[in-house]
Amino acid sequence: MRVLVTGATGFVGSRLVPALIEAGHDVRVLTRDADGYDGPAGEVCEGDILDAGTFEHALEGIDAAYYLIHSMESGTDFAARDRRAAHNFQRAASEAGIDRVLYLGGLGETRQGLSEHLMSRREVETILADGSYDLTTLRAAIIVGEGSSSFAMVEQLVHRLPVMITPKWVRTECQPIAIADVIAYLVGCLDVPETAGDTFEIGGPEVLTYRELLERTAGIADRSLFILPVPVLSPKLSAYWVDLVTDIPKAVAHPLILGLKNTVVVDDTRIEELVPIERTDFTTAVERALGQQTEPDSAERAERAQIEPER
Ligand SMILES: NC(=O)c1ccc[n+]([C@@H]2O[C@H](COP(=O)([O-])OP(=O)(O)OC[C@H]3O[C@@H](n4cnc5c(N)ncnc54)[C@H](OP(=O)(O)O)[C@@H]3O)[C@@H](O)[C@H]2O)c1
């Protein structure tokens, strides 16, 4: 299949491109800086999705496109930018007549009062769903892997702080997923027509509170950690101390922290039947993210995604 990957220089997209090539697809990527792209894609297109008229050529002759874009780094107006980007892409992909779009969004129940970041991810999903193609959405919580902004925050906190005073969000449940599993689902959906036009929730095999996630990560990193939850500390205040302790850009860290109040756990498990993979346990995912274990090689990836490796 001729596939376009947007966000191909990002944490998820840069791992998706080689996996799609291994699965036998022709891959084209879109980036705002083609000269800076050093991945294995056969074709590189330059364009900015926020700027209609600059990126549409990337969709010509494409069967399926992955939408892996967000604008969090741009600051407080990220939701407006992501809304505009999604509208531009939806219009262009519909006009180009492509068959499928696959979007990786966020988990979380809207009736719970989602954070601005999670609400924005859901709004993008709604906008993309208006296109004339079949949209597949995969909703995920924190993705564990090297280079994931959300996991980098966890990693830096446990490496730099022996004691954490936290608000009650440490009791919120989440379902982290290994980057290798996210890639296996993203690639797998392309071969399963039943996933076209539908939304799925993806998660790893364990549900953890954020407290457990921090404590387990600290244990794997061989760090001691004492967590003291106090009811008076607001999520906004904890965002400020995360600024002091980590080097995650404020514009990215704050929306993520304000989302910690939302339970992000898989409720709908249909994807496990449609794209059966052997899911990675949390400890292995963290060991890989911390460089204590290598990520699965192409033969392992192919086996997990139940496809034959290319000879
Ligand atoms: N990381 C996680 O834990 C996590 C969890 C759940 C869901 N997700 C979802 O996964 C998707 C990918 O996230 P990520 O962590 O891989 O993000 P990332 O590493 O920050 O990458 C973002 C990508 O967006 C591209 N981009 C941004 N603005 C653009 C624009 N105006 N035009 C064209 N490209 C633009 C960037 O490409 P260039 O700079 O090359 O142009 C970059 O490759 C997002 O939808 C995110 O919500 C991530």
Side-chain angles (χ1 to χ4, degrees), residues 6-14 30-34 37 47-51 55 67-73 81-82 85 103-107 117-118 121 124 138-144 147-151 177 179 182 186 252 256:
T6 67
T9 59
F11 162 61
V12 177
S14 61
L30 175 74
T31 166
R32 288 167 295 181
D33 174 20
Y37 179 76
D48 184 340
I49 290 193
L50 280 168
D51 197 0
F55 70 91
Y67 192 83
L68 301 175
I69 285 179
H70 69 80
S71 309
M72 253 197 299
E73 292 207 359
R81 291 164 76 97
D82 278 333
Y103 165 59
L104 180 61
L107 273 173
H117 164 59
L118 291 175
R121 294 289 80 202
V124 166
L138 298 183
R139 295 178 180 161
I142 177 170
I143 302 176
V144 181
S148 164
S149 307
S150 48
F151 185 72
I177 181 168
I179 181 63
V182 173
L186 283 169
V252 175
L256 291 176

Side-chain angles (χ1 to χ4, degrees), residues 280-295:
T280 308
D281 61 85
F282 180 73
T283 301
T284 304
V286 173
E287 285 173 352
R288 286 179 184 156
L290 299 180
Q292 297 174 2
Q293 265 198 57
T294 50
E295 289 288 341

Side-chain angles (χ1 to χ4, degrees), residues 183-199:
I183 299 301
Y185 281 130
L186 283 169
V187 175
C189 280
L190 212 48
D191 288 332
V192 181
E194 295 93 312
T195 62
D198 210 338
T199 296

Side-chain angles (χ1 to χ4, degrees), residues 36 46 85 137 143 150 163 211 234 265 307:
E46 188 168 283
T137 296
I143 302 176
S150 48
V163 177
R211 179 182 195 144
S234 72
V265 168
I307 51 170

Side-chain angles (χ1 to χ4, degrees), residues 1 17-26 187 190-191 307-310:
M1 227 181 263
V17 171
L20 286 167
I21 294 170
E22 271 162 27
H25 300 289
D26 288 335
V187 175
L190 212 48
D191 288 332
I307 51 170
E308 284 297 311
E310 281 195 321

Side-chain angles (χ1 to χ4, degrees), residues 111-182:
R111 61 174 182 274
Q112 258 198 358
L114 289 180
S115 68
E116 189 186 6
H117 164 59
L118 291 175
M119 195 59 105
S120 163
R121 294 289 80 202
R122 200 55 59 82
E123 185 184 19
V124 166
E125 182 182 321
T126 311
I127 295 167
L128 292 177
D130 274 344
S132 60
Y133 44 77
D134 287 326
L135 177 71
T136 300
T137 296
L138 298 183
R139 295 178 180 161
I142 177 170
I143 302 176
V144 181
E146 195 197 341
S148 164
S149 307
S150 48
F151 185 72
M153 207 157 63
V154 172
E155 186 190 344
Q156 292 188 17
L157 285 175
V158 302
H159 271 101
R160 295 175 189 184
L161 280 185
V163 177
M164 279 184 215
I165 297 171
T166 60
K168 55 182 192 292
W169 56 248
V170 279
R171 291 188 219 121
T172 310
E173 287 187 324
C174 67
Q175 194 164 351
I177 181 168
I179 181 63
D181 297 3
V182 173

